[in-house]
Amino acid sequence: MTLHGVLPVRKPKGFTSHDIVGKIRRLAKQKRVGHTGTLDPEVEGVLPICLGQATRLAEYIQDMPKKYRGSVTLGTATDTEDQTGQVIEKVAIHNLPTESEIVYAMKSMVGEIEQVPPMYSAVKVNGKRLYELARKGEVIERKARRVQIYDFEFLGMDRGEKPTIHFTVTCSKGTYVRTLCVDLGKKLDLPSHMSYLIRIQSGSYSLEDCVTLEQIETVANTGDWQSILHSMGEAVSTFSKMIVSEAQEFAVLNGKALQVEDPPETKDGLIRIFSDTGRFLALYREKEKGLLIPEKVFRDVE
């Protein structure tokens, strides 16, 4: 049986996102499985996995904001910008920044900012991934990328031997939180690195929605996948919704444009189309007022 839907997985440390995809592919006996945004091996948290026709929605889920909770340790910098790397700079801190100084620095980083991808990243330059070059000791020039920081909140600070700031951040896809931590340190005139990170939300899914690998293995033995699989329509719930008549449903499933008098308001132009029985049929885009054209049609999903 082919499964269609999204599985929000709580990825543990020590696994790549690709590892999780491979594991679910084997357990669910499905060929079409994909994730919606890479998490580094030492980062845990929400990783939505798409199965079957839901893989066609992965690009939209991946574009949705993500929220993390993490820690940045001051006084020490590493080559990977996180706790897994080699120390490249260490200083004694005589005067710790105050809470107000930290909050001010964080607020200054909210909005559209530019980030230079770290050398230890999967970004390709001239056909080679940066981490492959970094492992050879090479450092090359990287182009800055624009990302959006929606919120960067101070949660508290440990003022011990290794002063550590705790935070949450909501950001766009493509944001390197490691680099954000290093840049925060620079604003405080201190070397720093990210010492902990967990993704607590990805698009519509939070940690509370997630299942563990152990739970997935149990379901694989019972075959009750529907008990943990989230519907495709729910996966893109930030898009507007429209219910169509039986006659319109036939047109939608055949990829026809729809002319409607009162289309739902939409910020991004995309509208989820449902039948009057609740079946998710398609994603349509409003081309002009009242004229909706198909973007993705899901005729093979009951």
Side-chain angles (χ1 to χ4, degrees), residues 121-149:
S121 65
V123 174
K124 277 189 174 181
V125 175
N126 299 326
K128 291 190 176 181
R129 297 198 182 277
L130 288 177
Y131 66 76
E132 294 173 346
L133 299 174
R135 286 170 183 166
K136 296 177 183 177
E138 297 180 37
V139 177
I140 64 170
E141 188 175 342
R142 289 95 69 200
K143 288 184 179 179
R145 294 177 164 193
R146 288 193 173 275
V147 296
Q148 188 78 27
I149 308 300

mmCIF file of all heavy atoms in Angstrom, residues 121-149:
data_model
loop_
_atom_site.group_PDB
_atom_site.id
_atom_site.type_symbol
_atom_site.label_atom_id
_atom_site.label_comp_id
_atom_site.label_asym_id
_atom_site.label_seq_id
_atom_site.Cartn_x
_atom_site.Cartn_y
_atom_site.Cartn_z
ATOM 1 N N SER A 121 29.770 23.464 5.681
ATOM 2 C CA SER A 121 28.373 23.431 5.268
ATOM 3 C C SER A 121 28.284 22.689 3.943
ATOM 4 O O SER A 121 29.296 22.420 3.287
ATOM 5 C CB SER A 121 27.810 24.852 5.122
ATOM 6 O OG SER A 121 28.461 25.545 4.076
ATOM 7 N N ALA A 122 27.050 22.347 3.547
ATOM 8 C CA ALA A 122 26.846 21.550 2.335
ATOM 9 C C ALA A 122 26.704 22.413 1.078
ATOM 10 O O ALA A 122 26.421 21.890 -0.001
ATOM 11 C CB ALA A 122 25.610 20.672 2.504
ATOM 12 N N VAL A 123 26.918 23.720 1.205
ATOM 13 C CA VAL A 123 26.839 24.612 0.048
ATOM 14 C C VAL A 123 27.884 24.214 -0.982
ATOM 15 O O VAL A 123 29.033 23.901 -0.642
ATOM 16 C CB VAL A 123 27.045 26.085 0.483
ATOM 17 C CG1 VAL A 123 27.117 27.003 -0.724
ATOM 18 C CG2 VAL A 123 25.932 26.513 1.419
ATOM 19 N N LYS A 124 27.470 24.213 -2.272
ATOM 20 C CA LYS A 124 28.409 23.865 -3.339
ATOM 21 C C LYS A 124 29.019 25.114 -3.966
ATOM 22 O O LYS A 124 28.312 26.080 -4.265
ATOM 23 C CB LYS A 124 27.699 23.057 -4.432
ATOM 24 C CG LYS A 124 27.574 21.572 -4.133
ATOM 25 C CD LYS A 124 27.065 20.810 -5.341
ATOM 26 C CE LYS A 124 27.073 19.315 -5.098
ATOM 27 N NZ LYS A 124 26.610 18.560 -6.286
ATOM 28 N N VAL A 125 30.328 25.103 -4.142
ATOM 29 C CA VAL A 125 31.039 26.160 -4.852
ATOM 30 C C VAL A 125 31.921 25.474 -5.893
ATOM 31 O O VAL A 125 32.744 24.614 -5.552
ATOM 32 C CB VAL A 125 31.904 27.012 -3.887
ATOM 33 C CG1 VAL A 125 32.720 28.034 -4.678
ATOM 34 C CG2 VAL A 125 31.017 27.720 -2.870
ATOM 35 N N ASN A 126 31.714 25.835 -7.157
ATOM 36 C CA ASN A 126 32.451 25.211 -8.264
ATOM 37 C C ASN A 126 32.351 23.690 -8.235
ATOM 38 O O ASN A 126 33.323 22.961 -8.477
ATOM 39 C CB ASN A 126 33.922 25.631 -8.246
ATOM 40 C CG ASN A 126 34.099 27.131 -8.411
ATOM 41 O OD1 ASN A 126 33.326 27.776 -9.130
ATOM 42 N ND2 ASN A 126 35.084 27.701 -7.747
ATOM 43 N N GLY A 127 31.139 23.211 -7.895
ATOM 44 C CA GLY A 127 30.885 21.774 -7.942
ATOM 45 C C GLY A 127 31.342 20.997 -6.726
ATOM 46 O O GLY A 127 31.146 19.776 -6.668
ATOM 47 N N LYS A 128 31.941 21.658 -5.751
ATOM 48 C CA LYS A 128 32.416 20.961 -4.551
ATOM 49 C C LYS A 128 31.734 21.518 -3.306
ATOM 50 O O LYS A 128 31.535 22.724 -3.186
ATOM 51 C CB LYS A 128 33.934 21.099 -4.416
ATOM 52 C CG LYS A 128 34.704 20.339 -5.486
ATOM 53 C CD LYS A 128 36.198 20.308 -5.168
ATOM 54 C CE LYS A 128 36.943 19.467 -6.196
ATOM 55 N NZ LYS A 128 38.397 19.398 -5.897
ATOM 56 N N ARG A 129 31.377 20.623 -2.404
ATOM 57 C CA ARG A 129 30.751 21.059 -1.162
ATOM 58 C C ARG A 129 31.799 21.687 -0.256
ATOM 59 O O ARG A 129 32.935 21.217 -0.179
ATOM 60 C CB ARG A 129 30.062 19.884 -0.461
ATOM 61 C CG ARG A 129 28.922 19.312 -1.293
ATOM 62 C CD ARG A 129 27.986 18.486 -0.449
ATOM 63 N NE ARG A 129 26.924 17.889 -1.252
ATOM 64 C CZ ARG A 129 25.803 18.493 -1.623
ATOM 65 N NH1 ARG A 129 25.581 19.743 -1.248
ATOM 66 N NH2 ARG A 129 24.897 17.874 -2.348
ATOM 67 N N LEU A 130 31.388 22.755 0.441
ATOM 68 C CA LEU A 130 32.336 23.500 1.261
ATOM 69 C C LEU A 130 32.981 22.628 2.337
ATOM 70 O O LEU A 130 34.167 22.758 2.617
ATOM 71 C CB LEU A 130 31.641 24.705 1.902
ATOM 72 C CG LEU A 130 31.290 25.862 0.959
ATOM 73 C CD1 LEU A 130 30.538 26.950 1.722
ATOM 74 C CD2 LEU A 130 32.536 26.457 0.316
ATOM 75 N N TYR A 131 32.197 21.720 2.938
ATOM 76 C CA TYR A 131 32.781 20.916 4.020
ATOM 77 C C TYR A 131 33.885 19.990 3.508
ATOM 78 O O TYR A 131 34.804 19.643 4.243
ATOM 79 C CB TYR A 131 31.710 20.135 4.787
ATOM 80 C CG TYR A 131 30.980 19.063 4.014
ATOM 81 C CD1 TYR A 131 31.585 17.843 3.723
ATOM 82 C CD2 TYR A 131 29.654 19.236 3.625
ATOM 83 C CE1 TYR A 131 30.904 16.844 3.039
ATOM 84 C CE2 TYR A 131 28.970 18.252 2.940
ATOM 85 C CZ TYR A 131 29.594 17.055 2.650
ATOM 86 O OH TYR A 131 28.922 16.075 1.975
ATOM 87 N N GLU A 132 33.803 19.595 2.205
ATOM 88 C CA GLU A 132 34.868 18.765 1.624
ATOM 89 C C GLU A 132 36.171 19.553 1.536
ATOM 90 O O GLU A 132 37.258 19.028 1.814
ATOM 91 C CB GLU A 132 34.448 18.273 0.237
ATOM 92 C CG GLU A 132 33.259 17.309 0.264
ATOM 93 C CD GLU A 132 32.756 16.975 -1.127
ATOM 94 O OE1 GLU A 132 33.151 17.678 -2.092
ATOM 95 O OE2 GLU A 132 31.972 16.017 -1.259
ATOM 96 N N LEU A 133 36.055 20.834 1.163
ATOM 97 C CA LEU A 133 37.236 21.693 1.096
ATOM 98 C C LEU A 133 37.756 21.996 2.495
ATOM 99 O O LEU A 133 38.977 22.000 2.729
ATOM 100 C CB LEU A 133 36.883 23.001 0.370
ATOM 101 C CG LEU A 133 36.395 22.858 -1.080
ATOM 102 C CD1 LEU A 133 35.938 24.204 -1.619
ATOM 103 C CD2 LEU A 133 37.494 22.280 -1.973
ATOM 104 N N ALA A 134 36.829 22.230 3.430
ATOM 105 C CA ALA A 134 37.227 22.567 4.805
ATOM 106 C C ALA A 134 38.017 21.431 5.440
ATOM 107 O O ALA A 134 38.976 21.661 6.183
ATOM 108 C CB ALA A 134 35.990 22.887 5.639
ATOM 109 N N ARG A 135 37.611 20.198 5.141
ATOM 110 C CA ARG A 135 38.308 19.044 5.712
ATOM 111 C C ARG A 135 39.735 18.916 5.181
ATOM 112 O O ARG A 135 40.580 18.291 5.812
ATOM 113 C CB ARG A 135 37.518 17.761 5.423
ATOM 114 C CG ARG A 135 36.262 17.628 6.275
ATOM 115 C CD ARG A 135 35.380 16.504 5.813
ATOM 116 N NE ARG A 135 34.147 16.428 6.604
ATOM 117 C CZ ARG A 135 33.087 15.717 6.258
ATOM 118 N NH1 ARG A 135 33.092 15.024 5.123
ATOM 119 N NH2 ARG A 135 32.012 15.694 7.032
ATOM 120 N N LYS A 136 39.990 19.532 4.037
ATOM 121 C CA LYS A 136 41.350 19.538 3.476
ATOM 122 C C LYS A 136 42.143 20.756 3.958
ATOM 123 O O LYS A 136 43.275 20.972 3.535
ATOM 124 C CB LYS A 136 41.281 19.563 1.941
ATOM 125 C CG LYS A 136 40.648 18.324 1.329
ATOM 126 C CD LYS A 136 40.561 18.493 -0.181
ATOM 127 C CE LYS A 136 39.857 17.306 -0.834
ATOM 128 N NZ LYS A 136 39.696 17.507 -2.301
ATOM 129 N N GLY A 137 41.494 21.552 4.810
ATOM 130 C CA GLY A 137 42.163 22.737 5.329
ATOM 131 C C GLY A 137 42.046 23.951 4.427
ATOM 132 O O GLY A 137 42.717 24.964 4.644
ATOM 133 N N GLU A 138 41.196 23.862 3.395
ATOM 134 C CA GLU A 138 41.039 24.977 2.465
ATOM 135 C C GLU A 138 39.937 25.928 2.940
ATOM 136 O O GLU A 138 38.899 25.493 3.436
ATOM 137 C CB GLU A 138 40.689 24.459 1.067
ATOM 138 C CG GLU A 138 41.778 23.598 0.430
ATOM 139 C CD GLU A 138 41.374 23.120 -0.955
ATOM 140 O OE1 GLU A 138 40.726 23.906 -1.683
ATOM 141 O OE2 GLU A 138 41.698 21.972 -1.300
ATOM 142 N N VAL A 139 40.190 27.203 2.773
ATOM 143 C CA VAL A 139 39.181 28.222 3.056
ATOM 144 C C VAL A 139 39.048 29.081 1.811
ATOM 145 O O VAL A 139 40.038 29.627 1.320
ATOM 146 C CB VAL A 139 39.578 29.104 4.259
ATOM 147 C CG1 VAL A 139 38.529 30.197 4.480
ATOM 148 C CG2 VAL A 139 39.722 28.256 5.518
ATOM 149 N N ILE A 140 37.825 29.168 1.267
ATOM 150 C CA ILE A 140 37.626 29.950 0.048
ATOM 151 C C ILE A 140 36.592 31.038 0.303
ATOM 152 O O ILE A 140 35.831 30.992 1.269
ATOM 153 C CB ILE A 140 37.180 29.057 -1.137
ATOM 154 C CG1 ILE A 140 35.806 28.428 -0.835
ATOM 155 C CG2 ILE A 140 38.211 27.993 -1.435
ATOM 156 C CD1 ILE A 140 35.197 27.741 -2.043
ATOM 157 N N GLU A 141 36.557 31.996 -0.605
ATOM 158 C CA GLU A 141 35.608 33.099 -0.476
ATOM 159 C C GLU A 141 34.206 32.597 -0.784
ATOM 160 O O GLU A 141 33.993 31.846 -1.745
ATOM 161 C CB GLU A 141 35.994 34.232 -1.433
ATOM 162 C CG GLU A 141 35.190 35.499 -1.228
ATOM 163 C CD GLU A 141 35.687 36.637 -2.102
ATOM 164 O OE1 GLU A 141 36.822 36.558 -2.591
ATOM 165 O OE2 GLU A 141 34.908 37.591 -2.290
ATOM 166 N N ARG A 142 33.231 32.988 0.048
ATOM 167 C CA ARG A 142 31.838 32.597 -0.164
ATOM 168 C C ARG A 142 30.971 33.833 -0.319
ATOM 169 O O ARG A 142 31.233 34.851 0.329
ATOM 170 C CB ARG A 142 31.292 31.775 1.021
ATOM 171 C CG ARG A 142 31.864 30.381 1.141
ATOM 172 C CD ARG A 142 33.034 30.330 2.099
ATOM 173 N NE ARG A 142 32.630 30.540 3.491
ATOM 174 C CZ ARG A 142 33.477 30.926 4.442
ATOM 175 N NH1 ARG A 142 34.760 31.179 4.161
ATOM 176 N NH2 ARG A 142 33.050 31.075 5.683
ATOM 177 N N LYS A 143 29.970 33.725 -1.161
ATOM 178 C CA LYS A 143 29.050 34.840 -1.351
ATOM 179 C C LYS A 143 28.056 34.893 -0.187
ATOM 180 O O LYS A 143 27.557 33.871 0.268
ATOM 181 C CB LYS A 143 28.280 34.684 -2.666
ATOM 182 C CG LYS A 143 29.133 34.925 -3.904
ATOM 183 C CD LYS A 143 28.277 34.842 -5.147
ATOM 184 C CE LYS A 143 29.102 35.101 -6.405
ATOM 185 N NZ LYS A 143 28.264 34.984 -7.633
ATOM 186 N N ALA A 144 27.778 36.104 0.256
ATOM 187 C CA ALA A 144 26.788 36.284 1.325
ATOM 188 C C ALA A 144 25.390 35.976 0.789
ATOM 189 O O ALA A 144 25.096 36.183 -0.392
ATOM 190 C CB ALA A 144 26.844 37.710 1.850
ATOM 191 N N ARG A 145 24.548 35.465 1.660
ATOM 192 C CA ARG A 145 23.164 35.157 1.301
ATOM 193 C C ARG A 145 22.223 35.973 2.183
ATOM 194 O O ARG A 145 22.508 36.206 3.351
ATOM 195 C CB ARG A 145 22.869 33.669 1.539
ATOM 196 C CG ARG A 145 23.636 32.731 0.638
ATOM 197 C CD ARG A 145 23.301 31.296 1.019
ATOM 198 N NE ARG A 145 23.693 30.363 -0.014
ATOM 199 C CZ ARG A 145 23.306 29.097 -0.059
ATOM 200 N NH1 ARG A 145 22.524 28.616 0.888
ATOM 201 N NH2 ARG A 145 23.704 28.309 -1.030
ATOM 202 N N ARG A 146 21.096 36.345 1.620
ATOM 203 C CA ARG A 146 20.095 37.076 2.394
ATOM 204 C C ARG A 146 19.132 36.084 3.047
ATOM 205 O O ARG A 146 18.589 35.205 2.375
ATOM 206 C CB ARG A 146 19.318 38.046 1.495
ATOM 207 C CG ARG A 146 20.155 39.237 1.069
ATOM 208 C CD ARG A 146 19.296 40.330 0.443
ATOM 209 N NE ARG A 146 20.071 41.530 0.194
ATOM 210 C CZ ARG A 146 20.299 42.466 1.085
ATOM 211 N NH1 ARG A 146 19.804 42.344 2.302
ATOM 212 N NH2 ARG A 146 21.011 43.532 0.779
ATOM 213 N N VAL A 147 18.936 36.230 4.344
ATOM 214 C CA VAL A 147 17.975 35.402 5.084
ATOM 215 C C VAL A 147 17.139 36.317 5.960
ATOM 216 O O VAL A 147 17.481 37.490 6.163
ATOM 217 C CB VAL A 147 18.686 34.333 5.943
ATOM 218 C CG1 VAL A 147 19.442 33.338 5.075
ATOM 219 C CG2 VAL A 147 19.618 34.977 6.969
ATOM 220 N N GLN A 148 16.045 35.777 6.474
ATOM 221 C CA GLN A 148 15.131 36.577 7.295
ATOM 222 C C GLN A 148 15.119 36.046 8.723
ATOM 223 O O GLN A 148 14.889 34.858 8.948
ATOM 224 C CB GLN A 148 13.708 36.520 6.704
ATOM 225 C CG GLN A 148 12.730 37.466 7.354
ATOM 226 C CD GLN A 148 12.894 38.900 6.874
ATOM 227 O OE1 GLN A 148 13.360 39.139 5.763
ATOM 228 N NE2 GLN A 148 12.514 39.854 7.702
ATOM 229 N N ILE A 149 15.380 36.933 9.669
ATOM 230 C CA ILE A 149 15.257 36.598 11.092
ATOM 231 C C ILE A 149 13.978 37.270 11.590
ATOM 232 O O ILE A 149 13.883 38.493 11.647
ATOM 233 C CB ILE A 149 16.476 37.091 11.907
ATOM 234 C CG1 ILE A 149 17.785 36.606 11.278
ATOM 235 C CG2 ILE A 149 16.361 36.631 13.360
ATOM 236 C CD1 ILE A 149 17.935 35.103 11.189
#
